[in-house]
Each structure stands twice: as C-alpha cells, then as structure tokens.
Amino acid sequence: MDGTHLFELVIAMFLAIIALHYLAHRLGLPPSVALLTGGAALAFVPGLPAIEVDPELVLVIFLPPLLFDGAWSIAVDRLKRHMFGIASLAVGAVFFTTVVVAVVTHVLMPSLPWAGCAALGAIVSPPDAVSARAILERVNLPRRLQILLEGESLLNDASGLVLFRFAVAAATTGAFSATNAAGTFILLAAGGAIVGCVVGYAWVKLVRKLHDDYLMIAATTLMCWIAYLLGEQLHVSGVIATVTAGLIASWHQHTVMSAATRMRGTSFWTVLVFLMEAMVFILIGLSLRDIVERGGGFGALLETMALPALAILVTIVVARFVWIFASDVAIELAHRTGLARSVPMGTGAATVLSWAGVRGVVTLALALSLPDAFPGRDFILVIAFAVIMGTVLLQGTTLGAVISWAGLRGTEAEGAPMTMSQAEAAMAQVQFAKVKSLAFDTDGNLIHPQLLRRYEHRATAIIDYAQRTEDYVPMLHAHFDVVLEAVAVGRTELIRLHRAGQIDDETLRELERDLDLEELSAISAKA
C-alpha cells in the first residue's frame, strides 16, 4: 500500500469513527462497543486491504498520550489516599490473574509449555487504560471506585508488560526465577519513576521560559512520548515514566500555564485523545481479519477455540472477583481489629469494581508482539482477541446495569475539610481584600467605587450561599437559565450584524469569544 492509499484509509477510518460514534449515541450503546464491532465488520469489506498492526508501533503511538491524559486529569490527593487499594489492583490482581489463567490454560492445553501459559496470563490479566476511560466517561460512580479504576488503569500495564517479558524470556531460555522477577519489577518501576520525575520537572522549567501558548501546548503534547521513549530506551518502565511525568505536569500546570493556554490546550488535547481512543478500538476490530485467517476461518475457530476462549474469559472474570472480594474481607477484618482505618467497600461496590475489568489495546499488542516461533502463538492470539471482544461487548454494555443494581451513586463524600462553596467564599474574601487595598489612591480617595462594590457584594453573597446552599440551588439554576437565554439571543444578534455587513470578522470573533466564555461559565455554575 503506497502512502496516498494509506492516507486515504486513515481518513476513511476517521469518517467511520464519526459515523460509529453517532450510531452508538442513537442506539444508546457505549462507543467502544460500536467502534469495535464496526471495525470488525469493516475488516471483511470486499476490496479493503488487510490491516497489519505493528504492536510496538501501536503501543508507542497510542499508549503514552492516553496514559498521560489519565495522569493529567486524575485527582492527585485522592490517588495518594487510595494508593494501597490501587496497588492491590494494579499489581496484586494482575499477578493473581496471571497465575490463575496460566493454571487453567495448562489444564485446557497440556501440550502448551508453562511459559506459554504464563505469557497468555500476562497478556489478558491487565484491564486496559483506554477501555477503562471509555467506560468511566459514561457512568457515574462514587469517588472511591472512580479513583480506584482510574489509578489501576494507569499502573497495571506496567505489571502486565513486566510479567509478559519474563514469560517470553522463560520460554526462550527455559529459565525463570521468581526472586529475580520481583527484584527486576521493583527496579523497573523505580527507574521509570525517576525518569518521569526528570522529564516532568524539565517540562516545568521549560514551560516557565516559554511565553507562547502554542509552544507550551506543543511541549506538553510531546512530553508524554519523550517520557515513554526515554524510559524504554533506558530499559525501565516507560509506562511508569509517562504516568509520573503526567502527575508532575498536572500538579504544576496551575502555576506555570496561563488561563488562555489551559483553555486552548484542553480543547486541542480533548480532540486528540478522542481520535486516539476511537482509533484504538477501530484497529482492534480491523485486526479480526488476520486472526480469523490464521485460525482457518470462522468455522474452524468456533470448533476448536470456542470452549477454551469461553473458559479463559470466565477465568479472568472470576479471578478478579475473587481477588477484590478477598481484599475487601481482609480490609474489613483489619478495620474491625483496629489494624487499618480503611473501611470495606461492601458487596455492591466490590461487584461493580470486579465487573469493570475490560481488556483492550495492550492485550492485543502484547499478543501480536509474540515471536513467530513462540509456542502456541496462534492459540494465544485468538484467545486474547476473544477476551477483548468478550469483555468489551459483555462488561462494557452491562456495567451501567450492574451499577444500577448495586444502588451506587456518584455523590460519595471524601471528607474534604471544605466544600466547593466554602472554597469559593474564601477566594472571594481575599479578592475583596485585595481590591479594597487598591481601590483608593495615595491620598485616600476612592477611585474604583464600582469595582469595590462588586467584589464586596460578591464576597458577602458567596458566604451566605455557602451557609444556605440548598436554599439557593433552585434560584441559582433559574438565574443561569436566564443568562444562557441572554447569551443565545446575543449570539443571534451578533451573527445577524455580521451577515448584514455591519461588523467585520475580527469583531465577530472577539465578541463571540466573550459570549462563549460567559456561556461556559453559566453551564459550569449550573452543574
């Protein structure tokens, strides 16, 4: 395929993404399900060239920005607060699932060496960051579950990648040491964290010297790939390096970036991540054709692989349930005996957390990266794809129902000392104090009376609102409904003036930007 045809295919995939997202919205389906099935259907369109996915290239292109985006948007304080639970999922659950899948696979396929069974276990054990994001965007979870799933999706790929590489090395050399594996894992994780810190703080220094919004956005975009590639080049965890750099950048972006840079960067990054996430699911679906051809066709695959695939799919789901419920029981015992302050999640929350383990691009990329001579490669590839399809189609479509069954709500309090209204009141008070100090000239004459009254009124009103929030909510919503109506008619008049030739394009854009900011502010205040 020449470059022109490749570019045409990429454009066609972007068009398919738009169509499939629209279809998913109309049918009430998760976009990941529509994209995956749509990509699988497109793979068999007559005349469409076969898509060969380079696994290393897929990981390098897609994984760093999606991990970085998750680290950028995650709540760092809650991440630290729930780090023990996240580590239990990202490391403990991955190791446990790998062992269980390896044992079950060896029972199903005694001819497959233990190293091959372990490789399959490592491939299917880590839930995918992209799939987790696709699910979390459509559901409303308590904050504790939300942070556990987000944190797990950021870190578990590192565990899966390390286990996978050890399994492949064991199959190649015939030697394996659990002690060496554990030590190497710690070194890889620590090395990745160090690389991420270096890249993150270098970004902070660089952005402070840049005085151009677009240069800052470009530097931030490139940072995720720099951290990942540098980590891999130094033979440490590129995943941990990327996540660490993203956390550092997220922490400092409030002080090193201007408001304009953040708004422009957020808009750019949102579209970029949207296209990348969608492209991942399309590529997974398109890879079905090669997998079916390797297995001898749909009929042969169903006859020989259906039962093993179903057994392993059930195994990974059950293993996750066992690990999470056992961990919750251990937390409850420790809490009752006074050994830990953490409280158990309960049956409903544990069920939702267990059911949210969807697999995706990392599973497929690892399976495709197996050497051609690796024992059981085609079997592992088919099983990996079946696990992706099964978890996305089954768990991805039913997670909302499971959340409803569990009766969970997204309003769980985290015990922060101040509410948002109280924080706004504190901010308004210091703003009023600053304006008051600047409202008079050196002779004591009031030179900014309207500004002083405005900030004084705001400080007084927000304190009252913080004390009686529930009483103000209906009036607040009605107030901003009127603001949104005013913005709408203002925009209509602005466009009319432009179309009538009364104002030029520059005036249109400047005033429209003001209306956009006012509209976004009103929508945010109503939320």
Side-chain angles (χ1 to χ4, degrees):
M1 185 187 303
D2 60 31
T4 302
H5 287 146
L6 178 60
F7 180 72
E8 291 172 350
L9 180 61
V10 171
I11 296 300
M13 290 175 68
F14 285 142
L15 292 174
I17 287 170
I18 295 172
L20 291 169
H21 257 272
Y22 176 76
L23 182 63
H25 176 72
R26 297 285 294 179
L27 298 177
L29 293 173
S32 56
V33 173
L35 292 165
L36 189 62
T37 54
L42 290 173
F44 295 95
V45 172
L48 188 71
I51 305 297
E52 295 183 5
V53 179
D54 184 335
E56 293 295 333
L57 186 60
V58 167
L59 285 180
V60 169
I61 290 177
F62 293 101
L63 193 57
L66 297 176
L67 288 172
F68 182 84
D69 183 64
W72 181 277
S73 59
I74 201 168
V76 178
D77 57 338
R78 285 189 286 164
L79 180 69
K80 293 187 292 184
R81 192 179 309 153
H82 296 289
M83 183 53 71
F84 180 80
I86 292 170
S88 173
L89 292 169
V91 180
V94 169
F95 276 68
F96 178 72
T97 304
T98 299
V99 172
V100 174
V101 170
V103 172
V104 172
T105 303
H106 194 67
V107 172
L108 294 172
M109 296 282 292
S111 60
L112 187 64
W114 274 107
C117 299
L120 176 58
I123 288 170
V124 301
S125 60
D128 185 59
V130 182
S131 302
R133 285 172 54 89
I135 289 177
L136 292 175
E137 287 173 355
R138 294 178 55 85
V139 298
N140 190 23
L141 288 174
R143 291 178 178 177
R144 183 180 180 184
L145 287 188
Q146 187 90 11
I147 198 68
L148 286 174
L149 286 170
E150 289 177 356
E152 178 193 17
S153 70
L154 289 178
L155 301 176
N156 62 8
D157 289 337
S159 304
L161 286 167
V162 170
L163 288 173
F164 171 76
R165 287 166 180 167
F166 275 111
V168 172
T172 305
T173 64
F176 176 77
S177 170
T179 303
N180 291 340
T184 303
F185 176 79
I186 294 173
L187 289 175
L188 290 174
I194 293 171
V195 170
C197 287
V198 172
V199 174
Y201 283 108
W203 173 84
V204 173
K205 296 290 186 182
L206 175 64
V207 169
R208 279 180 174 156
K209 295 182 180 300
L210 297 175
H211 300 288
D212 183 277
D213 292 348
Y214 302 107
L215 291 178
M216 293 182 186
I217 295 169
T220 306
T221 303
L222 292 174
M223 182 174 65
C224 62
W225 282 291
I226 292 172
Y228 184 86
L229 292 172
L230 184 59
E232 293 297 311
Q233 191 69 27
L234 296 175
H235 304 291
V236 297
S237 175
V239 171
I240 300 295
T242 305
V243 171
T244 304
L247 291 172
I248 292 172
S250 173
W251 183 263
H252 288 278
Q253 54 108 355
H254 308 287
T255 57
V256 299
M257 283 184 165
S258 66
T261 304
R262 274 195 300 275
M263 289 187 65
R264 288 170 175 165
T266 299
S267 300
F268 166 77
W269 194 256
T270 300
V271 174
L272 177 66
V273 169
F274 164 77
L275 292 175
M276 285 197 158
E277 285 181 348
M279 186 70 77
V280 164
F281 287 109
I282 288 282
L283 288 174
I284 292 174
L286 289 172
S287 65
L288 176 63
R289 179 173 171 179
D290 180 62
I291 293 172
V292 170
E293 290 175 352
R294 282 177 171 272
F298 278 111
L301 283 177
L302 289 174
E303 184 177 349
T304 60
M305 298 288 191
L307 288 179
L310 180 61
I312 292 173
L313 178 60
V314 171
T315 297
I316 64 171
V317 173
V318 172
R320 185 172 175 86
F321 267 87
V322 169
W323 180 267
I324 290 174
F325 273 85
S327 299
D328 208 41
V329 170
I331 291 173
E332 183 174 7
L333 292 175
H335 181 71
R336 286 183 177 182
T337 57
L339 297 176
R341 292 183 297 175
S342 300
V343 295
M345 292 181 291
T347 302
T351 300
V352 171
L353 188 61
S354 302
W355 194 245
V358 179
R359 274 61 176 179
V361 62
V362 173
T363 293
L364 180 66
L366 291 181
L368 289 171
S369 67
L370 286 170
D372 291 335
F374 193 86
R377 184 182 189 275
D378 289 344
F379 170 79
I380 293 174
L381 190 58
V382 171
I383 297 299
F385 193 88
V387 166
I388 295 170
M389 293 289 290
T391 55
V392 171
L393 296 179
L394 178 61
Q395 294 173 293
T397 56
T398 58
L399 183 60
V402 174
I403 293 172
S404 298
W405 167 84
L408 301 180
R409 299 181 182 273
T411 56
E412 178 184 294
E414 283 284 321
M418 298 179 70
T419 64
M420 183 181 294
S421 298
Q422 291 170 335
E424 287 177 333
M427 187 172 63
Q429 285 179 295
V430 298
Q431 287 179 318
F432 170 59
K434 174 56 71 174
V435 171
K436 187 176 181 180
S437 68
L438 299 174
F440 299 86
D441 61 16
T442 55
D443 297 326
N445 299 314
L446 181 61
I447 56 175
H448 298 298
Q450 293 182 347
L451 200 59
L452 182 61
R453 284 196 298 270
R454 172 187 167 191
Y455 275 88
E456 183 179 14
H457 171 74
R458 185 183 176 204
T460 304
I462 195 64
I463 292 173
D464 187 48
Y465 174 80
Q467 295 171 348
R468 300 189 297 126
T469 302
E470 294 300 325
D471 297 334
Y472 276 98
V473 167
M475 292 184 292
L476 190 69
H477 282 201
H479 170 84
F480 284 108
D481 283 338
V482 174
V483 172
L484 291 173
E485 291 288 344
V487 169
V489 298
R491 181 175 284 108
T492 301
E493 176 64 11
L494 184 64
I495 294 173
R496 188 193 69 78
L497 292 172
H498 178 261
R499 299 297 186 262
Q502 300 298 307
I503 59 174
D504 57 18
D505 286 353
E506 183 177 353
T507 302
L508 170 67
R509 293 193 184 99
E510 287 293 326
L511 294 179
E512 187 179 43
R513 184 190 62 183
D514 294 341
L515 289 173
D516 289 344
L517 291 173
E518 188 176 1
E519 180 179 344
L520 290 174
S521 177
I523 292 173
S524 175
K526 281 188 63 178

